Amino acid sequence: MKYIFVTGGVVSSLGKGLAAASIGTLLEHRGLKVLMQKFDPYLNVDPGTMSPYQHGEVYVLDDGAETDLDLGHYERFTSGVLSRMNNLTSGQVFDSVIKKERRGEYLGKTVQFIPHVTDEIKDRIRMVSENNPDVDVLITEIGGTVGDMEGLLFLEALRQYALEVGKENVCFIHVTLLPYIKAAGEVKTKPTQQSVAKLREIGIQPDIIICRTEADLDEDNRKKIAMFCNVERKNVVAFRDVAHTIYECPLDLRRDKIDRLVVDKIGLGHTPAPALEDWERFVQRVIHPKHKVTIAVAGKYIELQDAYKSIYESLIHAGAHHDTKVRIVRVDTEAIEDHGAKSVIGDVDGILVPGGFGDRGTEGKIQAAQYARENKIPYFGICLGMQIATIEFARNVCGLTGANSTEFDKTTKHPVICLQEEQKGVEDMGATMRLGSCESILFAGTKAAELYGNKDRILERHRHRYEFNSDYQDRLQECGLVISSVSAEEGLVEIVELPDHPFFIGAQFHPEFQSKPNFPHPLFAGFVAASLEHAQKMA
Ligand code: GLN
């Protein structure tokens, strides 16, 4: 197996994850089998317990691992199958080392950062490569910025690992920022030089430097970076701000032939140039769509670009599929509570209520669902959004006054959403929700089944604690709510829909984790199609 290690310098939020994922795309299009993983130096065991304000979206894998949102980019940009093995945090590393120490596995030795902690990190790379013998290239991205104290052990482990597997099998890529100083009218290379110097101090010489720039990278600066950072001139690669969509990133990196530089370094130079036509066509559809729809996303973390990352990406995939630009308006549901749904949401072609936790803004979300239902505006509820739709229907159609989820009102008279027995005693908050892929049955004749191409079983990823309360199932169905899917094992309600409505669907799972550029998720595709119809009707 060959290895690519991607580090970041100068500042965070550089697009290091996108750079790594884009290299994955390019190598896959050269016919190579690629797998990606992320190392995160923070002490949380996983990001599952972190607030979206801290961390953005928590991305869930098939096996239920709650991971960094960069794994979402990896799954959307490459086809490698990811598992909890593909996201390692310092929290996991130390947890494992300390458990081994308590079990006496170090046979009386003094347990130290080097070699014991670094061995633990190297073991993870080794384990992933051994478990995936058919993979040609493993790309590992290291979170954080070179120079951070907490990243040091990971970098040291990579240095050792490269030595062990042979440097000819490893490519180190360092992603840095070239700031543009307006007053001087110049792009500055000094922070990049210093960041590379930091890497070299710990024994890592990058093979390729990816320079994030707003504008182009001129020849003088390329030469300067090459000389001061001790890399060949051709290995200084520009990574410009893309104009329209992140899916342009692989195409941008291809301009300096990064994939060729990488394969030459790791001895895979015989692979053909990437055939990117399918990717280019997708990008063209994103950039030059024929139609336009406006969709309101009504959530709690709307000011945060990263909190609903996979949902926004899924809307782009579905939009491209229908040759449609999806304009997203972010709606603060607390504002709905103060001013009413009509005045805050206004004229939109679709309303999406995403997942969430805690009761802030939930009454506003319920009003958003009511507004969509009554005005026949397409509605798509995801996880909490499905629970919201259920509560709204119970209150306003079935007349169950005060119906609620016990998450928001422990003493509600009508707990239409509640905890399952096995969740009641749970005290640990980490990794204890209903998580990961789960099979459910689709009922023929429903809108959902039609969207899934009349399949009778589907696999979707979950991340929630509360469930549709089966005690209310009959009552809600009598009032007209259609249950279109239940879990195969426990019979838990997975999808609800309304028949006399252009599109009103709530899914207890997270379809946004399974949408890809040329393969939009069927529920998102259906939602965008219905929104487009709505837009055309209103025009
Ligand atoms: N808070 C809800 C639950 O735990 C919904 C979770 C979500 O939307 N991911 O069930």
Coordinates of all heavy atoms in Angstrom, one line a residue, residues 349-351 368-380 392-393 447 480 482 497-505 527 530-531 533-534 537:
D349 N -40.2 27.8 -2.0 CA -40.7 26.7 -2.8 C -40.6 25.4 -2.0 O -41.2 24.3 -2.4 CB -39.9 26.5 -4.1 CG -40.0 27.8 -4.8 OD1 -41.1 28.4 -5.0 OD2 -38.9 28.3 -5.2
G350 N -40.0 25.4 -0.9 CA -39.9 24.2 0.0 C -39.4 24.6 1.3 O -38.7 25.6 1.5
I351 N -39.7 23.8 2.3 CA -39.3 24.1 3.7 C -38.6 22.8 4.2 O -39.2 21.7 4.2 CB -40.4 24.5 4.6 CG1 -41.0 25.8 4.1 CG2 -40.0 24.6 6.1 CD1 -42.3 26.3 4.9
A368 N -43.4 26.2 11.4 CA -42.9 26.1 10.1 C -43.6 24.9 9.4 O -44.0 25.0 8.2 CB -41.4 26.0 10.0
A369 N -43.7 23.8 10.1 CA -44.3 22.6 9.6 C -45.8 22.8 9.3 O -46.3 22.4 8.2 CB -44.1 21.4 10.5
Q370 N -46.4 23.5 10.2 CA -47.9 23.9 10.0 C -48.1 24.7 8.7 O -49.0 24.5 7.9 CB -48.4 24.6 11.2 CG -49.9 24.9 11.1 CD -50.4 25.6 12.4 OE1 -49.7 26.0 13.3 NE2 -51.7 25.7 12.5
Y371 N -47.2 25.7 8.6 CA -47.2 26.6 7.5 C -47.1 25.9 6.2 O -47.8 26.1 5.2 CB -46.1 27.7 7.7 CG -46.0 28.7 6.6 CD1 -47.0 29.6 6.3 CD2 -44.8 28.8 5.8 CE1 -46.8 30.6 5.3 CE2 -44.7 29.7 4.8 CZ -45.7 30.6 4.6 OH -45.5 31.6 3.6
A372 N -46.2 24.9 6.2 CA -45.9 24.1 5.0 C -47.1 23.2 4.7 O -47.6 23.1 3.5 CB -44.7 23.2 5.1
R373 N -47.7 22.6 5.7 CA -48.8 21.7 5.5 C -50.0 22.4 5.0 O -50.6 22.0 4.0 CB -49.1 21.0 6.9 CG -50.2 19.9 6.7 CD -50.5 19.2 8.1 NE -50.8 20.1 9.2 CZ -51.9 20.7 9.4 NH1 -52.9 20.6 8.6 NH2 -52.1 21.5 10.5
E374 N -50.3 23.5 5.7 CA -51.6 24.2 5.3 C -51.5 24.9 4.0 O -52.5 25.1 3.3 CB -51.9 25.3 6.4 CG -52.3 24.6 7.7 CD -52.6 25.5 8.9 OE1 -52.3 26.7 8.8 OE2 -53.2 25.0 9.9
N375 N -50.3 25.4 3.6 CA -50.2 26.1 2.4 C -49.7 25.3 1.2 O -49.3 25.8 0.1 CB -49.3 27.3 2.6 CG -49.9 28.3 3.5 OD1 -50.9 29.0 3.1 ND2 -49.4 28.4 4.7
K376 N -49.6 23.9 1.4 CA -49.2 23.0 0.4 C -47.8 23.3 -0.2 O -47.6 23.2 -1.4 CB -50.2 22.9 -0.7 CG -51.6 22.5 -0.2 CD -52.0 21.1 -0.6 CE -53.4 20.7 -0.3 NZ -53.6 19.9 0.8
I377 N -46.9 23.8 0.7 CA -45.5 24.0 0.3 C -44.8 22.7 0.7 O -44.9 22.1 1.7 CB -44.9 25.2 1.2 CG1 -45.7 26.4 1.0 CG2 -43.4 25.4 0.8 CD1 -45.4 27.5 1.9
P378 N -44.0 22.2 -0.3 CA -43.2 21.0 0.0 C -42.5 21.1 1.3 O -41.8 22.1 1.6 CB -42.2 20.8 -1.2 CG -43.0 21.5 -2.3 CD -43.7 22.7 -1.7
Y379 N -42.6 20.0 2.1 CA -41.9 20.0 3.4 C -41.1 18.7 3.5 O -41.5 17.6 3.2 CB -43.0 19.9 4.6 CG -42.4 19.8 6.0 CD1 -42.0 20.9 6.7 CD2 -42.2 18.5 6.5 CE1 -41.5 20.8 8.0 CE2 -41.7 18.4 7.8 CZ -41.3 19.5 8.5 OH -40.8 19.4 9.8
F380 N -39.9 18.9 4.0 CA -39.0 17.7 4.2 C -38.4 17.8 5.7 O -37.7 18.8 6.0 CB -37.9 17.7 3.2 CG -37.0 16.5 3.2 CD1 -37.4 15.3 3.7 CD2 -35.8 16.5 2.5 CE1 -36.7 14.1 3.7 CE2 -35.0 15.3 2.4 CZ -35.5 14.2 3.0
E392 N -46.8 18.4 15.2 CA -47.7 19.4 14.6 C -49.0 18.8 14.1 O -50.1 19.3 14.4 CB -47.0 20.1 13.4 CG -47.6 21.3 12.8 CD -48.8 21.0 11.8 OE1 -48.7 20.1 11.0 OE2 -49.8 21.7 11.9
F393 N -48.8 17.6 13.5 CA -50.0 16.9 13.0 C -50.9 16.4 14.2 O -52.1 16.6 14.1 CB -49.5 15.7 12.2 CG -50.7 15.0 11.5 CD1 -51.1 15.4 10.2 CD2 -51.3 13.9 12.0 CE1 -52.1 14.8 9.5 CE2 -52.3 13.2 11.4 CZ -52.7 13.7 10.1
K447 N -45.7 7.5 -1.2 CA -44.8 8.4 -1.9 C -43.4 8.0 -1.7 O -42.6 8.0 -2.7 CB -45.1 9.8 -1.4 CG -44.2 10.8 -2.0 CD -44.9 11.5 -3.2 CE -44.0 12.5 -3.8 NZ -44.3 12.7 -5.2
G480 N -55.1 10.6 9.2 CA -54.7 10.8 7.8 C -53.1 10.7 7.7 O -52.6 10.9 6.5
V482 N -49.8 9.1 7.1 CA -49.4 7.8 6.5 C -48.0 7.4 7.0 O -47.1 8.2 6.9 CB -49.4 7.8 4.9 CG1 -48.8 6.6 4.3 CG2 -50.8 8.0 4.4
E497 N -45.6 10.5 6.1 CA -45.9 11.4 4.9 C -47.4 11.7 4.9 O -48.2 11.1 5.6 CB -45.6 10.7 3.6 CG -46.3 9.4 3.3 CD -45.8 8.8 2.0 OE1 -44.7 8.3 1.9 OE2 -46.6 8.9 1.0
L498 N -47.8 12.8 4.2 CA -49.2 13.2 4.1 C -49.6 13.0 2.6 O -48.9 13.4 1.7 CB -49.4 14.6 4.4 CG -49.2 14.9 5.9 CD1 -49.4 16.4 6.2 CD2 -50.1 14.1 6.8
P499 N -50.7 12.2 2.4 CA -51.1 11.9 1.0 C -51.6 13.2 0.2 O -51.3 13.3 -0.9 CB -52.1 10.8 1.2 CG -52.5 10.9 2.6 CD -51.5 11.6 3.4
D500 N -52.4 14.0 0.9 CA -53.1 15.1 0.1 C -52.2 16.3 0.1 O -52.6 17.4 0.5 CB -54.4 15.4 0.7 CG -55.3 14.2 0.7 OD1 -55.2 13.4 -0.3 OD2 -56.1 14.0 1.6
H501 N -51.0 16.2 -0.3 CA -50.0 17.3 -0.2 C -49.0 17.0 -1.3 O -48.7 15.9 -1.6 CB -49.4 17.3 1.2 CG -48.6 18.5 1.5 ND1 -47.4 18.8 1.0 CD2 -48.9 19.6 2.3 CE1 -46.9 19.9 1.4 NE2 -47.8 20.5 2.2
P502 N -48.5 18.1 -2.0 CA -47.5 17.8 -3.0 C -46.3 17.1 -2.6 O -45.7 16.3 -3.3 CB -47.1 19.3 -3.5 CG -48.1 20.2 -2.9 CD -48.8 19.5 -1.8
F503 N -45.8 17.4 -1.4 CA -44.7 16.6 -0.8 C -44.6 17.0 0.7 O -44.2 18.1 1.1 CB -43.4 17.1 -1.5 CG -42.2 16.2 -1.1 CD1 -41.6 15.3 -2.0 CD2 -41.5 16.4 0.1 CE1 -40.5 14.5 -1.6 CE2 -40.4 15.7 0.5 CZ -39.9 14.7 -0.4
F504 N -44.9 16.0 1.5 CA -44.8 16.3 2.9 C -44.2 15.0 3.5 O -45.0 14.0 3.8 CB -46.2 16.6 3.6 CG -46.0 17.2 5.0 CD1 -46.1 18.6 5.2 CD2 -45.8 16.4 6.0 CE1 -46.0 19.1 6.4 CE2 -45.7 16.9 7.3 CZ -45.8 18.3 7.5
I505 N -42.9 15.0 3.8 CA -42.3 13.7 4.2 C -41.4 14.0 5.4 O -40.6 15.0 5.4 CB -41.5 13.1 3.0 CG1 -42.5 12.5 2.0 CG2 -40.5 12.0 3.6 CD1 -41.8 11.7 0.9
F527 N -37.8 15.8 -3.1 CA -38.1 17.1 -2.5 C -37.8 18.3 -3.4 O -38.6 19.2 -3.6 CB -37.3 17.2 -1.2 CG -37.5 18.6 -0.5 CD1 -38.7 19.1 -0.1 CD2 -36.3 19.3 -0.1 CE1 -38.8 20.3 0.6 CE2 -36.5 20.5 0.6 CZ -37.7 21.0 0.9
A530 N -40.4 18.4 -6.2 CA -41.6 19.0 -5.8 C -41.5 20.5 -5.6 O -42.4 21.2 -5.9 CB -42.1 18.3 -4.5
S531 N -40.4 20.9 -5.1 CA -40.1 22.4 -4.9 C -40.1 23.1 -6.3 O -40.6 24.2 -6.4 CB -38.8 22.6 -4.2 OG -38.9 21.9 -2.9
E533 N -41.7 22.1 -9.0 CA -43.1 22.2 -9.4 C -43.8 23.3 -8.8 O -44.5 24.1 -9.4 CB -43.8 20.9 -9.1 CG -44.0 20.0 -10.3 CD -44.6 18.6 -9.9 OE1 -45.7 18.7 -9.2 OE2 -44.0 17.6 -10.2
H534 N -43.5 23.5 -7.5 CA -44.1 24.6 -6.7 C -43.7 25.9 -7.3 O -44.6 26.8 -7.5 CB -43.8 24.5 -5.2 CG -44.4 25.5 -4.4 ND1 -43.9 26.8 -4.2 CD2 -45.6 25.4 -3.6 CE1 -44.7 27.4 -3.4 NE2 -45.7 26.7 -3.0
K537 N -45.4 26.5 -10.6 CA -46.8 26.9 -10.4 C -47.0 28.3 -10.0 O -47.9 29.0 -10.4 CB -47.4 25.9 -9.4 CG -48.9 25.6 -9.7 CD -49.4 24.4 -8.9 CE -49.2 24.5 -7.4 NZ -49.1 23.3 -6.7

